[in-house]
């Protein structure tokens, strides 16, 4: 994986290209940018336009799967998917399906799901490759082509090794990074508590106070609904504000998600990526899904309720926790 200095170099190259009179040229598609013509182009930051261009509707296109570019798109609100093994197709949905977690959680968990949850355990970053295989088996390759899997794997490895993947905050109209913004990538696993077999899972990432789900699978009855319920409660326990679920689907509506305009979503990404950049999703080892789901139930003991009140504050502080020291850029 490239170092953070590589992204700084990428940004510098973009700035040089623009200053040399190519400000209207977009390398990938040869389009001429006109802010008055298309709002979709206006949502693409200037420093990325040499490498990414608007394709059609809510899709953009790039020829690179560099993990740093993928992470940089994440901090700008794009959902990175692949159109083939040759093209990255970042998506900025016209309307984003999101679930509010704070200040008033709209997460809904059915009694049936809560009852079945005791049969499962939840974990983070234990079985990335198995989750990818499960997604491929259930959905086919779909958009999860090898180059983007490699990019996600690199981001997840850096999250495990160093605690996060560092991206650059570049204000629109500028080509000078002002600070670093962390992206954290996760595989989420749901296990059969009795057999220890993987029953389902998903891939996702965090930017500030937003967790974004990318894709997932299930191969056991109730595993999918339990995984979603437990993950939602874990996000709530760790202090996250929003759960980004991408495109609208009925099961997401049933969870409590609603549609918001993409301009509002991007505005919230830009706010929370700075204000809540220290939020971390944590699940040490495998935890019983029912214990996670019930962490804030009124019939729990005082210790659990105290844990709930302090959970968000605790999660806001990133601990070293055995993470490697990130090497200095040369």
């Amino acid at each position: 994986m490239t170092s953070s200095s590589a992204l700084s170099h990428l940004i510098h190259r973009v700035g040089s290209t623009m200053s040399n009179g190519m400000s209207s040229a977009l390398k990938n598609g040869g389009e001429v940018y006109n802010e008055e013509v298309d709002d979709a182009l206006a949502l693409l930051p200037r420093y990325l336009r040499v490498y990414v261009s608007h394709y059609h509707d809510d899709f953009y296109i790039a020829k690179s799967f560099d993990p740093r570019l993928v992470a940089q798109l994440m901090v700008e609100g794009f959902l990175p998917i692949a159109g083939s093994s040759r093209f990255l197709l970042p998506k900025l949905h016209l309307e984003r399906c999101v679930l509010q977690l704070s200040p008033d959680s709209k997460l809904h968990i059915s009694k049936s799901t809560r009852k079945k949850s005791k049969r499962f355990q939840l974990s983070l970053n234990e079985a990335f490759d198995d989750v990818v295989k499960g997604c491929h088996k259930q959905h086919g390759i779909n958009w999860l082509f090898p180059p983007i899997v490699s990019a996600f794997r690199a981001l997840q490895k850096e999250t495990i090794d160093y605690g996060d993947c560092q991206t650059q905050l570049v204000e629109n109209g500028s080509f000078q990074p002002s600070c670093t913004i962390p992206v954290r990538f996760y595989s989420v696993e749901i296990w059969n508590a009795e057999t220890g077999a993987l029953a389902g899972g998903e891939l996702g990432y965090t930017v500030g106070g937003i967790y974004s789900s990318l894709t997932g699978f299930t191969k056991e009855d109730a595993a999918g609904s339990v995984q979603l319920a437990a993950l939602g409660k874990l996000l709530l326990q760790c202090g996250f504000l929003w759960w980004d679920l991408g495109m609208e689907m009925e099961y997401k509506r049933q969870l409590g998600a609603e549609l918001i305009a993409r301009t509002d979503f991007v505005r919230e990404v830009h706010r929370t990526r700075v204000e809540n950049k220290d939020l971390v999703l944590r699940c040490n080892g495998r935890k019983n899904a029912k214990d996670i789901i019930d962490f804030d139930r009124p019939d729990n003991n005082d210790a659990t309720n105290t844990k709930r009140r302090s959970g968000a504050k605790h999660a806001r502080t990133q601990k070293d926790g055995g993470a490697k020291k990130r090497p200095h850029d040369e």
Side-chain angles (χ1 to χ4, degrees):
M1 182 167 187
T2 57
S3 67
S4 58
S5 62
L7 182 60
S8 298
H9 180 61
L10 179 150
I11 294 170
H12 175 73
R13 285 176 58 194
V14 175
S16 299
T17 301
M18 299 288 274
S19 64
N20 286 336
M22 295 179 64
S23 59
S24 63
L26 296 175
K27 292 282 189 179
N28 286 337
E31 298 181 55
V32 175
Y33 174 70
N34 185 333
E35 290 187 49
E36 297 180 355
V37 172
D38 195 338
D39 178 65
L41 288 178
L43 290 169
L44 181 63
R46 290 182 180 276
Y47 74 94
L48 290 175
R49 290 178 191 165
V50 170
Y51 298 92
V52 183
S53 60
H54 182 232
Y55 183 37
H56 67 81
D57 299 327
D58 45 8
F59 287 99
Y60 297 70
I61 190 167
K63 294 180 180 178
S64 173
F65 288 90
D66 188 301
R68 287 292 166 188
L69 177 60
V70 172
Q72 203 68 33
L73 286 163
M74 291 173 175
V75 301
E76 297 295 351
F78 292 85
L79 196 75
I81 62 177
S84 68
S85 291
R86 296 177 56 198
F87 296 104
L88 183 68
L89 285 182
K91 188 173 184 180
L92 196 56
H93 302 71
L94 294 172
E95 291 184 305
R96 201 79 158 226
C97 191
V98 299
L99 196 156
Q100 179 179 312
L101 297 170
S102 180
D104 299 310
S105 175
K106 295 184 179 181
L107 177 66
H108 172 73
I109 300 173
S110 69
K111 292 181 180 179
S112 174
T113 296
R114 190 182 298 274
K115 183 177 180 180
K116 295 174 182 177
S117 63
K118 62 184 178 182
R119 294 162 29 196
F120 299 96
Q121 295 176 318
L122 189 81
S123 68
L124 299 176
N125 285 337
E126 283 195 16
F128 175 92
D129 289 332
D130 289 333
V131 170
V132 171
K133 290 177 183 176
C135 292
H136 283 163
K137 185 174 182 179
Q138 182 169 329
H139 307 297
I141 291 294
N142 198 6
W143 59 264
L144 205 57
F145 288 91
I148 200 167
V149 171
S150 295
F152 290 161
R153 183 183 291 109
L155 294 176
Q156 189 222 25
K157 184 177 187 302
E158 189 162 349
T159 299
I160 294 172
D161 288 349
Y162 304 115
D164 59 55
C165 316
Q166 293 184 355
T167 67
Q168 304 289 333
L169 176 61
V170 183
E171 299 296 341
N172 205 13
S174 169
F175 299 101
Q176 296 300 321
S178 59
C179 65
T180 60
I181 298 294
V183 171
R184 300 179 177 93
F185 196 96
Y186 300 92
S187 62
V188 180
E189 302 90 18
I190 193 79
W191 308 87
N192 183 301
E194 182 177 352
T195 67
L198 184 65
E202 72 167 61
L203 303 177
Y205 61 90
T206 63
V207 174
I210 301 175
Y211 172 84
S212 295
S213 290
L214 285 164
T215 186
F217 81 101
T218 180
K219 60 180 182 180
E220 186 174 326
D221 178 57
S225 59
V226 170
Q227 183 246 300
L228 289 170
L231 176 57
K233 279 301 187 77
L234 187 64
L235 290 167
L236 184 61
Q237 186 175 359
C238 291
F240 282 85
L241 311 178
W242 299 96
W243 185 357
D244 167 28
L245 291 159
M247 66 181 293
E248 181 185 22
M249 298 182 74
E250 181 58 29
Y251 79 87
K252 299 174 185 178
R253 285 282 199 177
Q254 292 175 359
L255 270 176
E258 299 174 333
L259 291 177
I260 64 172
R262 67 178 175 184
T263 51
D264 293 332
F265 178 76
V266 170
R267 189 180 299 113
E268 180 60 18
V269 171
H270 288 178
R271 183 195 66 79
T272 190
R273 68 186 181 182
V274 175
E275 293 183 11
N276 307 110
K277 67 179 183 179
D278 292 327
L279 280 178
V280 181
L281 181 60
R282 300 185 187 279
C283 182
N284 297 323
R286 299 183 187 182
K287 291 188 175 181
N288 185 268
K290 193 171 192 305
D291 290 342
I292 297 173
I293 291 172
D294 287 347
F295 90 96
D296 59 350
R297 284 178 69 84
D299 55 349
N300 279 4
N301 58 39
D302 291 338
T304 300
N305 291 328
T306 300
K307 182 178 180 181
R308 179 196 177 194
R309 289 191 294 270
S310 62
K313 182 178 179 181
H314 175 74
R316 291 173 192 274
T317 303
Q318 170 89 39
K319 297 182 179 179
D320 292 338
K324 299 178 184 177
K325 184 177 180 181
R326 195 187 305 273
H328 294 293
D329 298 328
E330 298 181 355

